[in-house]
Structure formats: C-alpha cells, structure tokens
Amino acid sequence: MATVIKCQAAVAWEPNVPMVIEEIEVAPPQANEIRIKVIATGVCHTDLYHLFEGKNKEGFPAVLGHEGAGVVESVGPGVTEFKPGDKVIPLFLSQCRECRFCKCPKTNLCDQSW
C-alpha cells in the first residue's frame, strides 16, 4: 500500500515571485491516478503564462514542471494500464483516448480536456 512521501519541488506561491525549492508531501495516488518519480523536468510556456504572468490566480501554490520524464512510483485503485517501474511522460491535459486528437499520433490535445 502506498504511503505519503516527501520530495523536493519547485513551488510557486504567487504570480511574479521567484519559485522556492522546498520539501513537500505527496499523497498516495487515488482512484485512477498514478504517482510519478520525476527524473527530469522543465518549466514550459504554459507554466509561465498561467502562473508567472498571473493569468490563473487560483493556481497557487503550484508545483511546476509537468513537462518531464519519470518512473511510475505507485498506482491507485482502478489503474490497469500502468505499473510501478514503467517509464512515463506526463501531459498537461488528460486524454479521453476516443476523440480525433487522441487517436492521432501527432498531437496530445484532447477535445474533451478543453
């Protein structure tokens, strides 16, 4: 059974304020969720636009770095497609796997996520 873990994260507490590297607690994955040990990540334009330019005032505090690569650390109930140890690339938006975009190998912009 998965437990709460502690890890280092870059946390943005408010718009236009430098991020702080601090220790955070990450809850076990819930139903249909996976918890990823991030190996490498970056801050992308979406992070900058929504967080640092203040376009999303409700998004704070936020842990940045959804563009990255990692390894599945644990899985929640109902997850059948992934298992601990799988290498993964997180996405900013979820995927329905049914729309024209999800079925296209050239994009990951799901119609249902907007």
Side-chain angles (χ1 to χ4, degrees):
M1 177 177 221
T3 60
V4 172
I5 60 171
K6 292 183 179 187
C7 64
Q8 296 290 309
V11 181
W13 286 97
E14 57 185 293
N16 300 310
V17 174
M19 293 181 294
V20 179
I21 305 297
E22 57 187 68
E23 185 174 82
I24 64 169
E25 290 186 349
V26 182
Q30 301 300 305
N32 302 310
E33 293 180 344
I34 65 173
R35 186 163 60 184
I36 300 169
K37 178 180 180 179
V38 176
I39 306 300
T41 191
V43 176
C44 78
H45 182 264
T46 305
D47 290 330
L48 297 175
Y49 178 80
H50 286 287
L51 299 173
F52 285 120
E53 294 178 17
K55 305 297 183 191
N56 181 3
K57 304 231 186 279
E58 297 176 6
F60 294 95
V63 175
L64 305 182
H66 65 269
E67 284 191 356
V71 176
V72 174
E73 184 271 336
S74 55
V75 300
V79 174
T80 58
E81 190 170 342
F82 300 98
K83 64 184 181 315
D86 285 348
K87 295 175 184 170
V88 294
I89 299 172
L91 299 175
F92 181 69
L93 299 171
S94 61
Q95 293 183 309
C96 72
R97 299 182 183 218
E98 298 295 324
C99 73
R100 63 190 170 116
F101 293 117
C102 285
K103 290 182 177 182
C104 175
K106 295 183 180 181
T107 183
N108 64 354
L109 298 177
C110 176
D111 265 343
Q112 305 301 315
S113 295
W114 296 99

